[in-house]
Amino acid sequence: MAEIVTLAEAIGELVADGDVVALEGFTHLIPTAAGHEIIRQGRRDLTLVRMTPDIVYDQLIGAGCARKLVFSWGGNPGVGSLHRFRDAVQHSWPVPLEIEEHSHAGMANRYVAGASGLPFAVLRGYVGTDLPSVTATIKPITCPFTGEQLTAVPALNPDVTVIHAQRADRAGNVQLWGLLGVQKEAVLAARRSLVTVEEVVDELTPVPGAIVLPSWAVTKVAEVPGGAHPSYAQGYSERDNAYYAAWDAIGRDREEFANWLRQVREEVPA
Amino acid sequence: MTHTADEMMAIAAARALSGRQRVFVGIGLPSTAANLARRTHAPDLVLVYESGTLGSKPDRLPASIGDGILAETADAVISVPEVFNYWLQPGRIDVGFLGAAQLDRFGNINTTVIGGDYHHPKVRLPGAGGAPEIAASCREVYVVVRQSSRSFVDRVDFVTSFGHGTGKGDRERLGLRGAGPTLVITDLGVFRPDPETAELVLTDMHEGVTLDQVRAATGWDLRTAPEVGRTPPPTTGELAALRALKEASR
C-alpha cells in the first residue's frame, strides 16, 4: 500500500546515489518539485531516464546530480535548447554526462517491456538510422515467424520512477488524466515509485479518460500542490510559458545558473 | 498584399496537405502549416501529435507538442506507447510532416549532432523524438525547413531519420514500408526526389526567387527538374488566415 509522506521524506527514502531514476511527464504533469528536492538532497551519480528531458533535467544535470542520461528528445519545448545539457555533453560541465539515446518509440516500448515483466520489446523503427551505431541498447532481431528484420530494445526498469498526478485518496490510490504520456508504464516498470499529487482527497470522483494507479502499485504519495510547475496539471493549473522562455537565459549562463541553484537549495521543501 | 518568405513557405506547406486525411504533425513549421490547412482548404484534416492526441482542433498554434489545447480539442487522448505502436507503426497515417536541422540531398534528416564526432559534437541538438518512426512508417513524408547552405547539406552529419539513404532502392532493401520524403518545402522553393535516383531536385521556385539564390542556399551541386515551376503566390484569403492564426497564438 502506498504510504503518504512529505516530499522530503519520500526522496530521502526512495532515491539513493547511483540509482536509475525516471521523472516522467510528457509536457503535462512533470514532477518538477520532486526534481528540486533531489537537487536539495544532493544526490550524485544518478542515471536519469526520460523520453523528453526538459527544464527539470537541465537543472539536475547542471547541479551535477547525473552521471548518465537515457532519453529520446532533450530540449526546452517551444523555446529551444537545454543549455546545461549541452554544456555537459559538449564540455563535461559540471561533470561528464554519458548519454544513451533512443527514439520516442524505442523509449516507450522499453517502458512497456519493463511494465510487462519482459526482457525486451520489439519495434519496426531505427532501421537505416545512425542511432544503432551509437546506442548499444538497439539491436536487430529476426521475427521467428516471418523472418522479418526488426529492432529489439531492452526493458527499462528504473530503481525509482517519480510522476506527478492530479490527486490521490487517503489510501494512496492515484488518479490522473489528460495527456498521460508514458507515466503509467514508467511507474509499473519501476522497482519503487513516488507520485506527487495536487491534492489528497477523501474520495476519488470518476473523471472521463482518467486512469487510476491502485495504492498497491505505488510506493509513496506526497501532496505537493503546484508540484508540476512550470508544466501544468489539467484541471488545476496552466503551463507557465513565460518560465520556459525565461529559463533559456538562466540555463545559458553558468553564473546565472549558479544563482538559481543557490536559491533552490535554500528553499524549504514542500 | 505583400508577404514574407516564411509566409510563402507556410502557405505552400499547407497547400501540400490538400486531399490528405491524416497527418502526423511535428512541432514548429509543420504544426503551423497543418493548422493553416485545417483552417483553410482542409477542414477535415486529422491532426495527430506524438503527445497522444488524435484529431486535435486547436483554435491557435500549440506552444509545444503537449500544449493542453491539443488534448482539450482532440477526438481522443491516448498514451505515448499507443500513439507509436497502434497508430503510427502499422501505417495508418498518410503524411508525416517533419522539420529538420540538417537535410541532405537524399532527404535524410539530422536532429542529433552537428560537427565533431557523436561523443564530442560541435553542436548538440535535441535528438530523435518521434521522427525516426514517423519517417519510417507514414505513407509519405513532407519536410518543411528554412533553406541555407548550412541546413541543406550534401550528407547529414548524423542520420536521425532515414530518407532515401544513399539513393533509389535503399528503403526497399531495408524493408521500410513508407515512401519516405516525397516533398520538401523551403522558404525558397519546392524539391522532390528524382524518380530514377531519389536525389532531391528543385521542381518549383517561390515568387521572386532566382535559381542563383537557390543554388547559393544549397550545399550540393543542385539539379533541377526539366521545367521548374513557379509557386502561385499566396492568395489574400490564405495570408489573412495565416496572420489570424499567428495573431491568435500570441
Side-chain angles (χ1 to χ4, degrees):
Chain A
M1 301 299 277
E3 191 188 356
I4 299 180
V5 295
T6 66
L7 177 59
E9 286 167 344
I11 297 298
E13 290 172 36
L14 293 182
V15 183
D17 287 355
D19 273 356
V20 177
V21 181
L23 281 74
E24 273 295 350
F26 206 95
T27 315
H28 178 219
L29 295 175
I30 294 165
T32 310
H36 292 175
E37 184 57 24
I38 291 173
I39 290 174
R40 272 194 292 274
Q41 296 197 15
R43 290 295 177 278
R44 286 291 176 274
D45 294 321
L46 301 178
T47 292
L48 293 177
V49 179
R50 180 149 159 220
M51 291 181 66
T52 54
D54 70 343
I55 287 179
V56 67
Y57 272 40
D58 211 31
Q59 294 165 342
L60 283 156
I61 290 165
C65 300
R67 180 182 66 75
K68 182 176 178 182
L69 179 69
V70 182
F71 76 112
S72 43
W73 190 90
N76 182 346
V79 178
S81 295
L82 295 179
H83 299 287
R84 294 299 94 227
F85 163 56
R86 270 195 174 187
D87 208 7
V89 172
Q90 294 173 207
H91 309 112
S92 298
W93 194 92
V95 290
L97 183 73
E98 189 188 335
I99 55 174
E100 181 176 329
E101 185 162 6
H102 279 265
S103 68
H104 280 352
M107 286 290 285
N109 279 290
R110 294 188 68 187
Y111 279 125
V112 169
S116 306
L118 289 169
F120 68 92
V122 176
L123 65 158
R124 193 176 275 121
Y126 290 122
V127 174
T129 75
D130 283 338
L131 284 162
S133 70
V134 296
T135 302
T137 46
I138 302 170
K139 297 281 186 201
I141 190 169
T142 306
C143 170
F145 305 104
T146 64
E148 187 182 357
Q149 284 293 309
L150 298 162
T151 303
V153 289
L156 259 172
N157 292 105
D159 291 307
V160 55
T161 288
V162 184
I163 65 165
H164 188 75
Q166 277 94 345
R167 57 199 184 200
D169 65 17
R170 297 189 192 284
N173 297 295
V174 171
Q175 186 185 43
L176 60 159
W177 65 89
L179 291 176
L180 297 171
V182 74
Q183 283 99 308
K184 181 170 75 176
E185 290 78 6
V187 165
L188 296 180
R191 295 174 179 90
R192 307 183 291 279
S193 57
L194 164 65
V195 184
T196 59
V197 294
E198 289 292 318
E199 61 173 335
V200 174
V201 296
D202 290 330
E203 200 174 342
L204 295 176
T205 48
V207 175
I211 59 167
V212 171
L213 288 167
S215 174
W216 50 270
V218 174
T219 316
K220 289 186 194 294
V221 170
E223 190 177 41
V224 188
H229 179 267
S231 79
Y232 65 107
Q234 194 173 334
Y236 286 82
S237 63
E238 296 283 323
R239 189 173 190 262
D240 185 352
N241 291 318
Y243 185 103
Y244 283 86
W247 182 254
D248 192 70
I250 299 167
R252 205 180 275 275
D253 186 275
R254 288 181 187 175
E255 222 166 289
E256 288 275 322
F257 175 73
N259 287 333
W260 177 89
L261 195 55
R262 209 169 301 126
Q263 284 170 27
V264 164
R265 285 184 173 142
E266 285 166 6
E267 269 171 26
V268 179
Chain B
M1 229 182 199
T2 56
H3 61 271
T4 66
D6 268 9
E7 286 175 330
M8 181 71 257
M9 171 169 60
I11 288 165
R15 286 175 186 160
L17 292 169
S18 279
R20 307 294 163 179
Q21 294 169 317
R22 295 175 290 271
V23 58
F24 204 107
V25 188
I27 207 70
L29 296 169
S31 179
T32 304
N35 279 289
L36 178 60
R38 214 181 52 76
R39 284 168 78 111
T40 52
H41 56 85
D44 297 328
L45 190 66
V46 175
L47 273 50
V48 181
Y49 286 84
E50 67 190 16
S51 53
T53 64
L54 300 182
S56 291
K57 294 166 277 290
D59 57 11
R60 58 168 172 83
L61 293 173
S64 81
I65 208 86
D67 193 315
I69 200 166
L70 295 176
E72 287 154 19
T73 61
D75 297 330
V77 178
I78 57 181
S79 73
V80 168
E82 185 177 335
V83 172
F84 286 98
N85 288 354
Y86 297 174
W87 299 90
L88 184 59
Q89 191 166 256
R92 295 184 211 281
I93 311 292
D94 300 314
V95 177
F97 214 150
L98 295 174
Q102 269 188 340
L103 180 81
D104 71 22
R105 69 159 83 192
F106 292 109
N108 302 298
I109 292 172
N110 175 16
T111 53
T112 303
V113 286
I114 291 178
D117 69 29
Y118 173 77
H119 294 285
H120 305 92
K122 215 164 115 221
V123 181
R124 174 67 231 194
L125 300 168
E133 275 75 20
I134 295 170
S137 300
C138 291
R139 288 178 197 161
E140 290 182 83
V141 175
Y142 297 168
V143 184
V144 56
V145 56
R146 282 190 193 90
Q147 189 179 348
S148 74
S149 56
R150 285 169 59 206
S151 63
F152 252 51
V153 296
D154 183 49
R155 200 84 188 109
V156 287
D157 293 346
F158 189 94
V159 180
T160 312
S161 304
F162 194 78
H164 299 288
T166 57
K168 182 81 180 161
D170 274 9
R171 292 187 68 89
E172 291 80 351
R173 266 193 294 283
L174 290 168
L176 292 167
R177 299 187 165 190
T182 52
L183 189 67
V184 175
I185 295 156
T186 77
D187 46 345
L188 298 179
V190 176
F191 302 77
R192 292 182 173 83
D194 182 296
E196 302 297 319
T197 64
E199 179 180 325
L200 291 174
V201 298
L202 178 71
T203 59
D204 298 271
M205 285 190 292
H206 301 326
E207 198 188 41
V209 173
T210 67
L211 186 55
D212 282 347
Q213 239 181 306
V214 182
R215 285 195 194 284
T218 304
W220 69 86
D221 188 13
L222 178 71
R223 293 177 51 240
T224 63
E227 276 187 50
V228 177
R230 278 283 173 192
T231 315
T235 66
T236 311
E238 285 171 329
L239 263 185
L242 176 58
R243 288 173 188 176
L245 182 60
K246 293 269 189 188
E247 189 57 39
S249 313
R250 272 178 202 276

